[in-house]
Amino acid sequence: MAAMTATINVMLAIHGKKTTPIDLYKPLRHYIAQHYSEREAQDAEEDLQAVQHMRTDIERASDALEARRDLLQQYFRALSVMESRFPISNEKEHVNTLYFTWYDAFKPGKKATQQNIHFEKAAIAFNLGAVQSQIALAADRSSPNGLKQACNSFQFAAGAFSFLRDNISMKASGSSSTVDISVECAGMLERLMLAQAQECFYEKVLVDNKPSSLCSKVAKQVGLYYEEAYAALILPPLNQHFDRTWIAHVQLKAAQFHAEACYRVALQLHDQENVAEEIARLKAAGNMLSEAKKSGKGVVGPLLDAVSKLEANINRNLDRAVKENDRVYLMRIPPVESLPSLPAASLVKSAAVGELLDASKEKMFAGLVPDSSAKALSKYTEMLDEVIRVQAEKLQQESEIARVKLREMNLPDSLLSLEGSTSLPEHIRDEVEAVQIDGGPAGFEAEMRQLKDLRRVNEELLVQTEEILEEEAREDAQVRTQFGTRWTRPQSSTLTKSLHDRANGFAANLKQAAESDARIGRTIRDNAPLMAILNARPIEASLPTLGRPILSLNQNEDAIVGTLRQKLAELEMLGSERAGLEDMLKDMKRKDNILPKLMTTSGSYEDLFKKELAKYDPVCAEVAHNVEAQERLIQQIKDCSHSGTCAPEC
């Protein structure tokens, strides 16, 4: 049976599973040297030593509780890293000389051995829950801080057992497993830990002198949690696995707190002078305890003392209430079975330990990338590139639409001419000066020649790269033919797929760039006479002006011009937002490295892709909002400029 405290409120802690020593170093190193290379085995030397050291420390089980908890979490993360890199089974090409042996925590005479890393992870997760329960039990619950520590540790223990049940148990189960890491046992232990965490809250509300109604609700939930644990204990496979005193303890605790809830609500009923229901609740509480005590054989003395004390309080209050009713109230006592169920209030939950056990940020064995992970990363990159491409095209398209629409409405040029201003807006002046510094229209031709030379250099580099890849493929094929199955390095086509894909992408980009350069060159040649104005210094000397009498706005010029200026400013702000959104997408992509998560995930890659791509949803929503805002704004500008009047929404 698990260890117990000697306090009045008796609680349980779970013994950890025991194991036998194993050598992780040699099998793992042999696998790296065989399937990767001797050099990579040497590079992984430090990580191999670290894993072996952690396993050895776990075998000794001699650390302080907090240090042991941290060690278990660290080793679990290491196992998650190893899971994707080292296939462990009896198959020839796997790590087939590694056997994990663990003893049952509740039946130490029973043990199981598996060539299955999930079996090792299940044992570590179980021991993490066990050590958290031991930390909780060791806390001094007579002090507020100790009570808080106990409550939190019990919730973390519940979280560890919940994690075991939901993520590992099924992968480690089978005829060669032990009952303690089964789904049924992990679920039972989660409810037991939640019961004890809720019990800590009950102790707190009593110390804080909270109202009887609240005490009753908290106690009721304690009883429900214990009742759920008891229900699991009396069903296969647990009913034949646990010592009878375990089952009796949980059963008696369930009855104790159901009775405690009745007792506390009876105190409230007494204050309300509802003697009839008070008597019925106290009778129900007494019946619960008397029935449970019949099955309490083997339960430790302190628990029986606590139950007997509660029973004495119930009987004393029941005698008093019966006498008061007989002498004063003369009320009919309702049958116990007619009473409504008491409300419960759960104040605890299983702690989320997934983040503590997440190995995605671990650097261990970072140089070993299995082919499956590399392919998955390539697929995710393609999906992400498509998301970025679609959003970037939307942003660029909207900028072009705004430019074309404004040109059709002769804006903002007509406003500048209307003002008779001989000065250019600052941003246009800066652009003109930049062109003039580069040589004016003649400088465009020089820029185009330079672009052509740069494109030729890039094309030559791309050809050289492709030739190197082809040579590497020929050498790999030659060595593979020479050595046959002894040449265990992954095929060249697998290792260099991402490089070929990138080379194809560069080739497509160069082709697209050449077409774009050609369009720009034609535009420059076609508009050479118009661009001659850029040679004028100052540029304002070549600008036409439009006097006010030439433009009629129905005697409402100032209002309409002011509104148009405002709308154009808003349109410019939307353009700035688009530039910021595009930069944000590029920055997110640059920082987006999901390879560690791919290497440690035990679920579906598709689910991980969906979750990771969801990070971009808020930015995509902002893009859509920007597009909609621009459409509304351009329509408002069009209405103002065409009608000569502005609608209220303008």
Side-chain angles (χ1 to χ4, degrees), residues 608-644:
L608 178 63
F609 293 162
K610 184 177 180 181
K611 178 182 178 182
E612 291 299 315
L613 290 174
K615 300 188 301 245
Y616 296 84
D617 289 348
V619 185
C620 295
E622 289 187 44
V623 170
H625 177 73
N626 183 284
V627 170
E628 293 171 0
Q630 175 171 290
E631 290 175 353
R632 291 194 300 269
L633 196 55
I634 287 179
Q635 185 59 46
Q636 293 170 6
I637 293 173
K638 185 177 180 180
D639 293 342
C640 285
S641 61
H642 285 187
S643 64

mmCIF file of all heavy atoms in Angstrom, residues 608-644:
data_model
loop_
_atom_site.group_PDB
_atom_site.id
_atom_site.type_symbol
_atom_site.label_atom_id
_atom_site.label_comp_id
_atom_site.label_asym_id
_atom_site.label_seq_id
_atom_site.Cartn_x
_atom_site.Cartn_y
_atom_site.Cartn_z
ATOM 1 N N LEU A 608 -0.297 18.588 -37.047
ATOM 2 C CA LEU A 608 0.720 19.574 -36.669
ATOM 3 C C LEU A 608 0.773 20.697 -37.702
ATOM 4 O O LEU A 608 0.862 21.879 -37.342
ATOM 5 C CB LEU A 608 2.083 18.896 -36.548
ATOM 6 C CG LEU A 608 3.260 19.823 -36.201
ATOM 7 C CD1 LEU A 608 3.052 20.459 -34.834
ATOM 8 C CD2 LEU A 608 4.580 19.053 -36.225
ATOM 9 N N PHE A 609 0.705 20.349 -38.990
ATOM 10 C CA PHE A 609 0.721 21.378 -40.041
ATOM 11 C C PHE A 609 -0.452 22.343 -39.855
ATOM 12 O O PHE A 609 -0.291 23.566 -39.953
ATOM 13 C CB PHE A 609 0.629 20.735 -41.427
ATOM 14 C CG PHE A 609 1.836 19.921 -41.817
ATOM 15 C CD1 PHE A 609 1.759 19.002 -42.850
ATOM 16 C CD2 PHE A 609 3.042 20.076 -41.148
ATOM 17 C CE1 PHE A 609 2.864 18.253 -43.214
ATOM 18 C CE2 PHE A 609 4.158 19.330 -41.502
ATOM 19 C CZ PHE A 609 4.065 18.416 -42.544
ATOM 20 N N LYS A 610 -1.616 21.777 -39.618
ATOM 21 C CA LYS A 610 -2.817 22.603 -39.453
ATOM 22 C C LYS A 610 -2.667 23.561 -38.275
ATOM 23 O O LYS A 610 -3.007 24.748 -38.361
ATOM 24 C CB LYS A 610 -4.035 21.697 -39.251
ATOM 25 C CG LYS A 610 -5.356 22.442 -39.166
ATOM 26 C CD LYS A 610 -6.519 21.467 -39.045
ATOM 27 C CE LYS A 610 -7.860 22.203 -38.964
ATOM 28 N NZ LYS A 610 -8.989 21.246 -38.829
ATOM 29 N N LYS A 611 -2.128 23.045 -37.174
ATOM 30 C CA LYS A 611 -1.935 23.873 -35.973
ATOM 31 C C LYS A 611 -0.919 24.975 -36.224
ATOM 32 O O LYS A 611 -1.119 26.130 -35.826
ATOM 33 C CB LYS A 611 -1.488 22.986 -34.812
ATOM 34 C CG LYS A 611 -1.215 23.747 -33.522
ATOM 35 C CD LYS A 611 -0.742 22.806 -32.431
ATOM 36 C CE LYS A 611 -0.413 23.574 -31.153
ATOM 37 N NZ LYS A 611 0.098 22.672 -30.087
ATOM 38 N N GLU A 612 0.191 24.631 -36.894
ATOM 39 C CA GLU A 612 1.247 25.612 -37.121
ATOM 40 C C GLU A 612 0.820 26.675 -38.127
ATOM 41 O O GLU A 612 1.118 27.863 -37.960
ATOM 42 C CB GLU A 612 2.519 24.903 -37.601
ATOM 43 C CG GLU A 612 3.184 24.041 -36.545
ATOM 44 C CD GLU A 612 3.624 24.831 -35.331
ATOM 45 O OE1 GLU A 612 4.208 25.912 -35.513
ATOM 46 O OE2 GLU A 612 3.367 24.387 -34.200
ATOM 47 N N LEU A 613 0.133 26.271 -39.184
ATOM 48 C CA LEU A 613 -0.317 27.251 -40.177
ATOM 49 C C LEU A 613 -1.377 28.188 -39.610
ATOM 50 O O LEU A 613 -1.568 29.296 -40.114
ATOM 51 C CB LEU A 613 -0.863 26.531 -41.416
ATOM 52 C CG LEU A 613 0.177 25.815 -42.283
ATOM 53 C CD1 LEU A 613 -0.501 25.024 -43.395
ATOM 54 C CD2 LEU A 613 1.177 26.806 -42.877
ATOM 55 N N ALA A 614 -2.061 27.738 -38.558
ATOM 56 C CA ALA A 614 -3.082 28.591 -37.932
ATOM 57 C C ALA A 614 -2.464 29.851 -37.328
ATOM 58 O O ALA A 614 -3.176 30.841 -37.100
ATOM 59 C CB ALA A 614 -3.836 27.808 -36.853
ATOM 60 N N LYS A 615 -1.151 29.827 -37.086
ATOM 61 C CA LYS A 615 -0.481 31.021 -36.561
ATOM 62 C C LYS A 615 -0.622 32.197 -37.520
ATOM 63 O O LYS A 615 -0.557 33.355 -37.109
ATOM 64 C CB LYS A 615 1.014 30.748 -36.330
ATOM 65 C CG LYS A 615 1.349 29.651 -35.357
ATOM 66 C CD LYS A 615 2.846 29.638 -35.076
ATOM 67 C CE LYS A 615 3.632 29.424 -36.340
ATOM 68 N NZ LYS A 615 4.381 28.219 -36.440
ATOM 69 N N TYR A 616 -0.793 31.887 -38.804
ATOM 70 C CA TYR A 616 -0.853 32.939 -39.824
ATOM 71 C C TYR A 616 -2.277 33.446 -40.056
ATOM 72 O O TYR A 616 -2.469 34.415 -40.800
ATOM 73 C CB TYR A 616 -0.253 32.429 -41.135
ATOM 74 C CG TYR A 616 1.213 32.092 -41.022
ATOM 75 C CD1 TYR A 616 1.634 30.854 -40.550
ATOM 76 C CD2 TYR A 616 2.177 33.033 -41.352
ATOM 77 C CE1 TYR A 616 2.990 30.548 -40.420
ATOM 78 C CE2 TYR A 616 3.535 32.740 -41.231
ATOM 79 C CZ TYR A 616 3.932 31.496 -40.761
ATOM 80 O OH TYR A 616 5.257 31.205 -40.623
ATOM 81 N N ASP A 617 -3.259 32.806 -39.439
ATOM 82 C CA ASP A 617 -4.659 33.200 -39.650
ATOM 83 C C ASP A 617 -4.932 34.656 -39.254
ATOM 84 O O ASP A 617 -5.622 35.376 -39.991
ATOM 85 C CB ASP A 617 -5.597 32.254 -38.893
ATOM 86 C CG ASP A 617 -5.653 30.875 -39.534
ATOM 87 O OD1 ASP A 617 -5.162 30.733 -40.670
ATOM 88 O OD2 ASP A 617 -6.186 29.943 -38.908
ATOM 89 N N PRO A 618 -4.436 35.132 -38.095
ATOM 90 C CA PRO A 618 -4.709 36.534 -37.742
ATOM 91 C C PRO A 618 -4.177 37.525 -38.773
ATOM 92 O O PRO A 618 -4.844 38.518 -39.094
ATOM 93 C CB PRO A 618 -4.002 36.697 -36.384
ATOM 94 C CG PRO A 618 -3.931 35.317 -35.811
ATOM 95 C CD PRO A 618 -3.746 34.425 -36.985
ATOM 96 N N VAL A 619 -2.976 37.269 -39.306
ATOM 97 C CA VAL A 619 -2.421 38.184 -40.312
ATOM 98 C C VAL A 619 -3.237 38.112 -41.599
ATOM 99 O O VAL A 619 -3.505 39.137 -42.239
ATOM 100 C CB VAL A 619 -0.945 37.848 -40.597
ATOM 101 C CG1 VAL A 619 -0.344 38.888 -41.543
ATOM 102 C CG2 VAL A 619 -0.141 37.793 -39.314
ATOM 103 N N CYS A 620 -3.652 36.900 -41.995
ATOM 104 C CA CYS A 620 -4.496 36.756 -43.190
ATOM 105 C C CYS A 620 -5.815 37.504 -43.013
ATOM 106 O O CYS A 620 -6.334 38.103 -43.964
ATOM 107 C CB CYS A 620 -4.746 35.278 -43.476
ATOM 108 S SG CYS A 620 -3.264 34.346 -43.930
ATOM 109 N N ALA A 621 -6.347 37.467 -41.782
ATOM 110 C CA ALA A 621 -7.595 38.197 -41.513
ATOM 111 C C ALA A 621 -7.373 39.707 -41.633
ATOM 112 O O ALA A 621 -8.234 40.438 -42.135
ATOM 113 C CB ALA A 621 -8.108 37.847 -40.118
ATOM 114 N N GLU A 622 -6.207 40.181 -41.193
ATOM 115 C CA GLU A 622 -5.892 41.608 -41.328
ATOM 116 C C GLU A 622 -5.750 41.993 -42.796
ATOM 117 O O GLU A 622 -6.134 43.101 -43.199
ATOM 118 C CB GLU A 622 -4.604 41.930 -40.570
ATOM 119 C CG GLU A 622 -4.746 41.882 -39.055
ATOM 120 C CD GLU A 622 -3.490 42.368 -38.357
ATOM 121 O OE1 GLU A 622 -2.934 43.395 -38.801
ATOM 122 O OE2 GLU A 622 -3.063 41.723 -37.390
ATOM 123 N N VAL A 623 -5.182 41.097 -43.601
ATOM 124 C CA VAL A 623 -5.080 41.363 -45.045
ATOM 125 C C VAL A 623 -6.471 41.528 -45.643
ATOM 126 O O VAL A 623 -6.736 42.461 -46.407
ATOM 127 C CB VAL A 623 -4.313 40.217 -45.748
ATOM 128 C CG1 VAL A 623 -4.410 40.368 -47.265
ATOM 129 C CG2 VAL A 623 -2.851 40.200 -45.310
ATOM 130 N N ALA A 624 -7.379 40.591 -45.307
ATOM 131 C CA ALA A 624 -8.742 40.664 -45.833
ATOM 132 C C ALA A 624 -9.431 41.952 -45.382
ATOM 133 O O ALA A 624 -10.143 42.608 -46.166
ATOM 134 C CB ALA A 624 -9.535 39.442 -45.368
ATOM 135 N N HIS A 625 -9.199 42.333 -44.133
ATOM 136 C CA HIS A 625 -9.807 43.573 -43.615
ATOM 137 C C HIS A 625 -9.264 44.781 -44.366
ATOM 138 O O HIS A 625 -10.013 45.714 -44.696
ATOM 139 C CB HIS A 625 -9.509 43.698 -42.123
ATOM 140 C CG HIS A 625 -10.034 44.962 -41.513
ATOM 141 N ND1 HIS A 625 -11.371 45.170 -41.271
ATOM 142 C CD2 HIS A 625 -9.392 46.093 -41.119
ATOM 143 C CE1 HIS A 625 -11.542 46.384 -40.747
ATOM 144 N NE2 HIS A 625 -10.357 46.949 -40.643
ATOM 145 N N ASN A 626 -7.960 44.792 -44.650
ATOM 146 C CA ASN A 626 -7.356 45.900 -45.389
ATOM 147 C C ASN A 626 -7.946 46.014 -46.789
ATOM 148 O O ASN A 626 -8.244 47.116 -47.268
ATOM 149 C CB ASN A 626 -5.837 45.685 -45.460
ATOM 150 C CG ASN A 626 -5.102 46.822 -46.139
ATOM 151 O OD1 ASN A 626 -5.129 46.931 -47.354
ATOM 152 N ND2 ASN A 626 -4.441 47.663 -45.356
ATOM 153 N N VAL A 627 -8.124 44.866 -47.444
ATOM 154 C CA VAL A 627 -8.691 44.851 -48.795
ATOM 155 C C VAL A 627 -10.110 45.415 -48.784
ATOM 156 O O VAL A 627 -10.482 46.252 -49.625
ATOM 157 C CB VAL A 627 -8.677 43.421 -49.362
ATOM 158 C CG1 VAL A 627 -9.485 43.341 -50.658
ATOM 159 C CG2 VAL A 627 -7.245 42.951 -49.600
ATOM 160 N N GLU A 628 -10.918 44.969 -47.822
ATOM 161 C CA GLU A 628 -12.303 45.452 -47.734
ATOM 162 C C GLU A 628 -12.341 46.952 -47.452
ATOM 163 O O GLU A 628 -13.156 47.690 -48.027
ATOM 164 C CB GLU A 628 -13.039 44.689 -46.634
ATOM 165 C CG GLU A 628 -13.238 43.209 -46.941
ATOM 166 C CD GLU A 628 -13.783 42.445 -45.749
ATOM 167 O OE1 GLU A 628 -14.007 43.079 -44.697
ATOM 168 O OE2 GLU A 628 -13.969 41.219 -45.871
ATOM 169 N N ALA A 629 -11.456 47.417 -46.563
ATOM 170 C CA ALA A 629 -11.434 48.846 -46.229
ATOM 171 C C ALA A 629 -11.054 49.679 -47.449
ATOM 172 O O ALA A 629 -11.623 50.758 -47.676
ATOM 173 C CB ALA A 629 -10.444 49.097 -45.087
ATOM 174 N N GLN A 630 -10.105 49.198 -48.251
ATOM 175 C CA GLN A 630 -9.708 49.952 -49.444
ATOM 176 C C GLN A 630 -10.842 50.007 -50.458
ATOM 177 O O GLN A 630 -11.077 51.050 -51.087
ATOM 178 C CB GLN A 630 -8.463 49.334 -50.083
ATOM 179 C CG GLN A 630 -8.092 50.031 -51.398
ATOM 180 C CD GLN A 630 -6.759 49.596 -51.943
ATOM 181 O OE1 GLN A 630 -5.724 49.916 -51.368
ATOM 182 N NE2 GLN A 630 -6.779 48.877 -53.062
ATOM 183 N N GLU A 631 -11.560 48.897 -50.636
ATOM 184 C CA GLU A 631 -12.674 48.890 -51.588
ATOM 185 C C GLU A 631 -13.720 49.935 -51.209
ATOM 186 O O GLU A 631 -14.228 50.676 -52.063
ATOM 187 C CB GLU A 631 -13.300 47.498 -51.636
ATOM 188 C CG GLU A 631 -12.411 46.444 -52.301
ATOM 189 C CD GLU A 631 -13.006 45.052 -52.212
ATOM 190 O OE1 GLU A 631 -14.034 44.893 -51.520
ATOM 191 O OE2 GLU A 631 -12.447 44.126 -52.828
ATOM 192 N N ARG A 632 -14.042 50.008 -49.907
ATOM 193 C CA ARG A 632 -15.024 51.008 -49.455
ATOM 194 C C ARG A 632 -14.493 52.430 -49.668
ATOM 195 O O ARG A 632 -15.222 53.320 -50.113
ATOM 196 C CB ARG A 632 -15.352 50.791 -47.975
ATOM 197 C CG ARG A 632 -16.127 49.528 -47.685
ATOM 198 C CD ARG A 632 -16.700 49.559 -46.276
ATOM 199 N NE ARG A 632 -15.648 49.676 -45.269
ATOM 200 C CZ ARG A 632 -15.054 48.634 -44.695
ATOM 201 N NH1 ARG A 632 -15.396 47.391 -45.046
ATOM 202 N NH2 ARG A 632 -14.127 48.822 -43.776
ATOM 203 N N LEU A 633 -13.217 52.621 -49.359
ATOM 204 C CA LEU A 633 -12.638 53.963 -49.446
ATOM 205 C C LEU A 633 -12.553 54.445 -50.888
ATOM 206 O O LEU A 633 -12.868 55.610 -51.195
ATOM 207 C CB LEU A 633 -11.247 53.942 -48.807
ATOM 208 C CG LEU A 633 -10.616 55.284 -48.455
ATOM 209 C CD1 LEU A 633 -11.546 56.101 -47.568
ATOM 210 C CD2 LEU A 633 -9.281 55.068 -47.748
ATOM 211 N N ILE A 634 -12.166 53.582 -51.805
ATOM 212 C CA ILE A 634 -12.078 53.980 -53.219
ATOM 213 C C ILE A 634 -13.464 54.326 -53.760
ATOM 214 O O ILE A 634 -13.626 55.277 -54.545
ATOM 215 C CB ILE A 634 -11.426 52.856 -54.045
ATOM 216 C CG1 ILE A 634 -9.924 52.791 -53.740
ATOM 217 C CG2 ILE A 634 -11.641 53.075 -55.531
ATOM 218 C CD1 ILE A 634 -9.176 51.709 -54.481
ATOM 219 N N GLN A 635 -14.485 53.564 -53.343
ATOM 220 C CA GLN A 635 -15.847 53.875 -53.790
ATOM 221 C C GLN A 635 -16.290 55.239 -53.274
ATOM 222 O O GLN A 635 -16.937 56.014 -53.987
ATOM 223 C CB GLN A 635 -16.813 52.784 -53.311
ATOM 224 C CG GLN A 635 -18.242 52.952 -53.819
ATOM 225 C CD GLN A 635 -18.313 52.946 -55.346
ATOM 226 O OE1 GLN A 635 -17.710 52.094 -56.001
ATOM 227 N NE2 GLN A 635 -19.044 53.897 -55.927
ATOM 228 N N GLN A 636 -15.924 55.562 -52.018
ATOM 229 C CA GLN A 636 -16.270 56.876 -51.464
ATOM 230 C C GLN A 636 -15.561 57.994 -52.226
ATOM 231 O O GLN A 636 -16.149 59.041 -52.524
ATOM 232 C CB GLN A 636 -15.893 56.918 -49.976
ATOM 233 C CG GLN A 636 -16.725 55.999 -49.104
ATOM 234 C CD GLN A 636 -16.183 55.874 -47.690
ATOM 235 O OE1 GLN A 636 -15.246 56.561 -47.309
ATOM 236 N NE2 GLN A 636 -16.781 54.987 -46.905
ATOM 237 N N ILE A 637 -14.286 57.776 -52.558
ATOM 238 C CA ILE A 637 -13.537 58.784 -53.325
ATOM 239 C C ILE A 637 -14.164 58.968 -54.707
ATOM 240 O O ILE A 637 -14.313 60.096 -55.205
ATOM 241 C CB ILE A 637 -12.059 58.358 -53.444
ATOM 242 C CG1 ILE A 637 -11.386 58.405 -52.068
ATOM 243 C CG2 ILE A 637 -11.314 59.245 -54.436
ATOM 244 C CD1 ILE A 637 -9.977 57.836 -52.053
ATOM 245 N N LYS A 638 -14.563 57.856 -55.326
ATOM 246 C CA LYS A 638 -15.180 57.910 -56.651
ATOM 247 C C LYS A 638 -16.488 58.693 -56.603
ATOM 248 O O LYS A 638 -16.759 59.538 -57.481
ATOM 249 C CB LYS A 638 -15.440 56.487 -57.145
ATOM 250 C CG LYS A 638 -15.976 56.405 -58.562
ATOM 251 C CD LYS A 638 -16.125 54.938 -58.981
ATOM 252 C CE LYS A 638 -16.658 54.833 -60.404
ATOM 253 N NZ LYS A 638 -16.812 53.409 -60.815
ATOM 254 N N ASP A 639 -17.294 58.439 -55.568
ATOM 255 C CA ASP A 639 -18.572 59.154 -55.431
ATOM 256 C C ASP A 639 -18.338 60.651 -55.288
ATOM 257 O O ASP A 639 -19.048 61.474 -55.890
ATOM 258 C CB ASP A 639 -19.340 58.621 -54.222
ATOM 259 C CG ASP A 639 -19.802 57.184 -54.418
ATOM 260 O OD1 ASP A 639 -19.840 56.721 -55.577
ATOM 261 O OD2 ASP A 639 -20.117 56.515 -53.403
ATOM 262 N N CYS A 640 -17.340 61.020 -54.492
ATOM 263 C CA CYS A 640 -17.066 62.441 -54.257
ATOM 264 C C CYS A 640 -16.562 63.131 -55.529
ATOM 265 O O CYS A 640 -17.005 64.222 -55.882
ATOM 266 C CB CYS A 640 -16.026 62.604 -53.148
ATOM 267 S SG CYS A 640 -16.686 62.306 -51.499
ATOM 268 N N SER A 641 -15.633 62.489 -56.209
ATOM 269 C CA SER A 641 -14.996 63.141 -57.357
ATOM 270 C C SER A 641 -15.911 63.208 -58.570
ATOM 271 O O SER A 641 -15.805 64.124 -59.378
ATOM 272 C CB SER A 641 -13.701 62.407 -57.725
ATOM 273 O OG SER A 641 -13.986 61.061 -58.088
ATOM 274 N N HIS A 642 -16.838 62.246 -58.693
ATOM 275 C CA HIS A 642 -17.705 62.221 -59.882
ATOM 276 C C HIS A 642 -18.946 63.070 -59.711
ATOM 277 O O HIS A 642 -19.434 63.670 -60.661
ATOM 278 C CB HIS A 642 -18.116 60.788 -60.186
ATOM 279 C CG HIS A 642 -16.991 60.001 -60.813
ATOM 280 N ND1 HIS A 642 -17.158 58.730 -61.300
ATOM 281 C CD2 HIS A 642 -15.693 60.319 -61.023
ATOM 282 C CE1 HIS A 642 -15.999 58.287 -61.779
ATOM 283 N NE2 HIS A 642 -15.096 59.244 -61.619
ATOM 284 N N SER A 643 -19.499 63.092 -58.492
ATOM 285 C CA SER A 643 -20.784 63.766 -58.299
ATOM 286 C C SER A 643 -20.634 65.237 -57.954
ATOM 287 O O SER A 643 -21.564 66.015 -58.107
ATOM 288 C CB SER A 643 -21.578 63.078 -57.183
ATOM 289 O OG SER A 643 -20.894 63.214 -55.946
ATOM 290 N N GLY A 644 -19.446 65.595 -57.449
ATOM 291 C CA GLY A 644 -19.273 66.986 -57.019
ATOM 292 C C GLY A 644 -19.856 67.228 -55.654
ATOM 293 O O GLY A 644 -19.847 68.339 -55.151
#
